[in-house]
Amino acid sequence: MKGIRKTLVATCALAGLALTVPAMAEGPTMDELMGDAESTSDVLTYGMGPWQQRFSPLDAINTETVAKMVPAFAASLGGEKQRGQESQPIVYDGVIYVTGSYSRMFAFDARTGEKLWEYNARLPDGIMPCCDVVNRGAAIHGDKVIFATLDARLVALNRKTGKVIWNKVTGDYKAGYSATAAPIIVKDMVITGNSGGEFGVVGAVSARDVNTGELIWNRPVIEGHMGTLRGQDNGITGTTNATWPGDMWKTGGGATWLGGTYDPGTNMVFFGTGNPAPWNSHLRPGDNLYTSSTLAIDADTGVIKWHYQTSPNDGWDFDGVNEFIPFDGTFNGKKRKMGAKADRNGFFYVLDRTNGKLLNATPFVMQPNWASKIDLKTGRPVFNPDNRPGAPGDAEKGKSVFATPSFLGGKNWMPMAYSPDTEMFYVPSNDWGMDIWNEPIAYKKGAAYLGAGFTIKPIAEDHIGALRAIDPKTGKIMWEYKNKAPLWGGVLTTRGNLVFTGTPEGYLKAFDARTGKELWKFQTGSGVVGSPVTWEQDGEQYVAVMSGWGGAVPLWGGEVAKTFKEISQGGSLWVFKLPR
C-alpha cells in the first residue's frame, strides 16, 4: 500500500497535477492482519492468523533440510528481570517485537539482532500476578504495537520509537486484576480479556478503539453482570442467580486470561473463561455459568451468541481458557465449520463453531479420573463423584482426593497448532495428578480466594510432558513425543512437514509432522516456554523463539517443581535459519 501511494504521488508530480492523497497509517492494515495466515514475509498476529492455527506455508526449512539449521543470532533482554519468557514474536518491516517478563517490550533488528528500543512499564509494588510475571505477546496495527501489563493496563507504543501513544486502565490491580495475554485486533478494535481468577475478580472481554484506546464494548462473563456498548447498558450476562447461589456471582472468577481467536466468517471472537471462585465447589452449587467455558461473542456488539461449558461446577481449577481454534473439514462424512480445544480438564473437544454444538470429545492425556467421559448427547461430563474434593468443616479441611489431571492441566496456556496438510492438531500436554482438598474460605478484596490445598505429583515414570498429534475427526492420538519435564511452550507447524516446540531443558526441537520423529534440536541455555514463529526475509526462511524458564510450574508445581529446580533462568530471543 505504501508503494502504491508513493507511485501515485510521483506520477502526478511528473504530470504537473496537484493531488491530495489521504494520510495512511504507516504499518499493517486490517486486511493485512486478516491475511496473516497466508503471508510469509512477516508475522503480524498472535497465532499467525485470526484463526491462530500457527501454520506457515513456508517449506524451505523442511524434513530434509532442518538438520542443517543454525543460529542467525541471539538477542538478550538483559538486566535482572529474567523469569518466564512466554512471548510470541511479531515480525514486520525488518523488526522483531517481543514482550518480556515484568511487562517490558523490545524491538530488535531482524537481520542483526541489534536492540532498537526498549519499553519498561512502571509497575506498582502491589501487583498480584497469579502465575509468574510473564507476558505472552503484542499486537501490531498501523504505527502501533500494543500489549497488556501486570497492573491491568493496555499500552500502545509507537512501533518505531517505543514512545507511549495511549495507556488505559483495564482493571483494579489492588483487587487482584492483572493482564498477561496478547491482544487480538478485529475491525480496528483491540480485544482483550483479564486475569486474576484466584482473587475473586469478574472475568470479562472488552473491545477498545485501536487508535485511541477508548472502550467500545465490555462483556462480563459471569451471570448477573451488565454488559456495555458505547457507554450504554447492553444486557445482563445470563440470568442473575440462575446458576449461582446468593451473591457469589459478584466475585465469581472466570478470568479470560489467555486471550481469544477470531473467525471472520461468523464475525465471532472465541474466548475461554477460567475457573469459578473460590475453588471450593461446595460453596457454589450449580453450573456457575459462564466459567470454565468457551464463549462465542459477536465482534461488533459484545453479545454472547453461544457458549459451551467444559467443566460445570468446576472443583479442580480446570480453567476453560484454552484457545478455541477454528478449522474446516469433514466430520462423519459432512463438511463442517468446526473449532477444536484441548481443555485443561484433559479432554479434546470438537464443536460446530457456528452454534457451539458438541461433535466429539476424547481424552488426550493419561485417563482423566474426575469424569469417566463426556456425554456426546448432553455435552456434559459424566462425573466421578469419588474424585470431587470433599466439603470442609468449620475449621478443618475436607476429604482429600487424588485427581488427574492436576490443576495445572492436561494443557495449560501453551498454544497448540493445526496443519491443514496433515489435518492434525499438535498439542503440548502434560500427564500429572494432584492430591486436592477443600478448606474454609471467605472473600476478601485483594486476597487469594481459593478454599483449597493441593500437591502435584507425577503419574508416569518416564515423562510428564507429551507432544501429541491428534486427529480431530476421531480424537485418536496419531503419535506422541514424551519429555521428562513438563512441556510449557507453544507449537508451530509448517508446510515443510515440521512441528517445532521447546522444552524446559532448554531445547528448541523439530519433529516430522506425520511421524513424530525428532529431526533437530538446539540448546538455548534456558528453558523454552515461548511460542516459535517463522517468516521469510531476504529470500531465506527464519525461525524465532524466546528462551527463559519460568511460568506456573516453578511456582505451583509442588513435587514436580522440585524435580526441575536446577533449570537456569534466562531472557533471550533466538533466531535460526539455514546456512547459505
Side-chain angles (χ1 to χ4, degrees):
M1 187 63 74
K2 286 191 294 183
I4 294 174
R5 184 175 187 271
K6 290 179 179 178
T7 301
L8 184 61
V9 172
T11 301
C12 292
L14 288 172
L17 300 175
L19 178 68
T20 300
V21 180
M24 290 182 169
E26 293 187 3
T29 64
M30 275 309 312
D31 286 344
E32 289 174 310
L33 297 183
M34 292 299 100
D36 192 36
E38 291 77 36
S39 67
T40 57
S41 61
D42 44 37
V43 178
L44 300 179
T45 58
Y46 188 77
M48 301 173 63
W51 284 4
Q52 296 186 26
Q53 292 182 345
R54 298 182 179 274
F55 172 81
S56 170
L58 289 172
D59 62 3
I61 300 174
N62 54 51
T63 53
E64 301 299 321
T65 62
V66 69
K68 301 176 182 178
M69 197 165 71
V70 295
F73 63 81
S76 173
L77 302 192
E80 298 177 354
K81 297 178 179 180
Q82 305 285 19
R83 305 289 286 271
Q85 308 298 342
E86 294 184 355
S87 177
Q88 178 215 286
I90 294 291
V91 186
Y92 178 72
D93 195 23
V95 179
I96 302 173
Y97 301 94
V98 294
T99 57
S101 53
Y102 293 96
S103 304
R104 297 172 292 163
M105 190 187 293
F106 301 79
F108 294 105
D109 187 298
R111 293 176 175 84
T112 66
E114 176 188 358
K115 185 170 73 173
L116 303 176
W117 55 258
E118 173 182 348
Y119 172 82
N120 281 264
R122 294 181 178 178
L123 297 174
D125 293 335
I127 58 171
M128 292 176 281
C130 150
C131 308
D132 203 3
V133 289
V134 300
N135 191 282
R136 298 185 175 97
I140 187 170
H141 179 283
D143 62 347
K144 289 173 283 296
V145 283
I146 304 163
F147 80 123
T149 65
L150 285 168
D151 58 342
R153 288 178 175 270
L154 199 60
V155 181
L157 307 175
N158 182 286
R159 70 175 182 86
K160 292 185 177 180
T161 66
K163 301 298 183 183
V164 175
I165 296 176
W166 53 259
N167 185 329
K168 299 293 182 180
V169 174
T170 60
D172 179 6
Y173 74 86
K174 293 180 181 179
Y177 285 90
S178 59
T180 58
I184 60 173
I185 297 182
V186 175
K187 295 185 171 183
D188 297 322
M189 297 182 293
V190 187
I191 301 181
T192 57
N194 59 17
S195 301
E198 271 57 64
F199 297 93
V201 305
V202 174
V205 180
S206 62
R208 294 176 178 272
D209 185 295
V210 72
N211 292 310
T212 66
E214 294 304 313
L215 185 66
I216 296 175
W217 56 257
N218 182 66
R219 174 52 55 191
V221 302
I222 301 297
E223 281 191 330
H225 295 271
M226 178 65 71
T228 62
L229 175 63
R230 301 190 183 279
Q232 304 296 316
D233 288 351
N234 192 33
I236 290 175
T237 299
T239 302
T240 307
N241 288 133
T243 64
W244 290 85
D247 288 341
M248 297 205 71
W249 58 275
K250 294 182 179 180
T251 52
T256 50
W257 57 266
L258 196 52
T261 59
Y262 174 61
D263 177 32
T266 60
N267 192 40
M268 290 190 289
V269 291
F270 303 108
F271 270 72
T273 64
N275 58 283
W279 288 17
N280 180 353
S281 62
H282 299 278
L283 293 175
R284 42 175 173 76
D287 283 355
N288 311 137
L289 294 176
Y290 294 99
T291 63
S292 301
S293 301
T294 294
L295 305 184
I297 301 173
D298 182 86
D300 293 327
T301 65
V303 172
I304 297 173
K305 309 300 287 187
W306 59 256
H307 80 276
Y308 179 79
Q309 190 173 41
T310 48
S311 302
N313 192 226
D314 172 27
W316 303 269
D317 189 36
F318 288 154
D319 293 44
V321 294
N322 301 75
E323 69 281 2
F324 181 78
I325 296 183
F327 71 106
D328 293 336
T330 301
F331 189 86
N332 288 342
K334 181 181 178 181
K335 290 185 177 180
R336 304 292 293 257
K337 295 180 181 297
M338 296 175 282
K341 176 182 183 178
D343 198 85
R344 190 151 151 176
N345 69 19
F347 287 89
F348 185 88
Y349 297 82
V350 178
L351 308 179
D352 184 318
R353 71 174 182 269
T354 67
N355 56 24
K357 176 179 172 56
L358 177 66
L359 301 177
N360 202 20
T362 52
F364 68 94
V365 294
M366 294 174 66
Q367 182 63 52
N369 69 6
W370 66 278
S372 61
K373 65 178 181 178
I374 307 300
D375 187 315
L376 297 184
K377 291 184 179 180
T378 65
R380 296 178 67 87
V382 178
F383 289 108
N384 178 354
D386 293 334
N387 275 89
R388 182 178 291 272
D394 292 336
E396 59 184 27
K397 68 179 186 180
K399 183 188 74 171
S400 177
V401 301
F402 185 76
T404 58
S406 80
F407 77 89
L408 288 177
K411 189 177 88 67
N412 198 275
W413 81 275
M414 51 278 192
M416 62 185 181
Y418 175 74
S419 168
D421 291 348
T422 66
E423 297 184 327
M424 290 192 288
F425 280 87
Y426 301 96
V427 181
S429 64
N430 290 300
D431 294 322
W432 43 21
M434 62 179 172
D435 292 319
I436 182 170
W437 57 90
N438 288 150
E439 300 170 342
I441 187 70
Y443 174 76
K444 180 180 179 181
K445 180 180 177 180
Y449 191 39
L450 300 184
F454 47 82
T455 301
I456 294 179
K457 298 177 179 179
I459 58 174
E461 292 184 359
D462 62 342
H463 76 285
I464 296 175
L467 176 64
R468 293 182 165 117
I470 298 176
D471 180 346
K473 296 184 293 296
T474 64
K476 182 179 179 181
I477 296 172
M478 307 304 291
W479 60 257
E480 65 180 1
Y481 156 77
K482 294 179 178 179
N483 194 72
K484 187 69 174 175
L487 292 183
W488 211 252
V491 180
L492 164 71
T493 186
T494 74
R495 183 141 290 151
N497 193 39
L498 294 174
V499 175
F500 291 90
T501 197
T503 73
E505 293 91 338
Y507 289 101
L508 177 64
K509 293 191 173 188
F511 303 87
D512 186 302
R514 296 188 184 276
T515 68
K517 180 181 178 181
E518 184 178 315
L519 302 174
W520 173 89
K521 66 180 180 180
F522 182 86
Q523 175 58 247
T524 65
S526 182
V528 176
V529 296
S531 296
V533 295
T534 188
W535 73 98
E536 190 175 47
Q537 179 176 281
D538 303 329
E540 297 181 281
Q541 183 180 351
Y542 288 77
V543 174
V545 73
M546 291 297 300
S547 171
W549 173 237
V553 175
L555 299 176
W556 294 77
E559 294 181 19
V560 170
K562 294 176 184 177
T563 305
F564 305 103
K565 64 181 180 179
E566 300 304 323
I567 296 174
S568 298
Q569 288 193 331
S572 297
L573 168 70
W574 283 88
V575 178
F576 304 89
K577 70 181 189 70
L578 296 174
R580 285 187 178 275

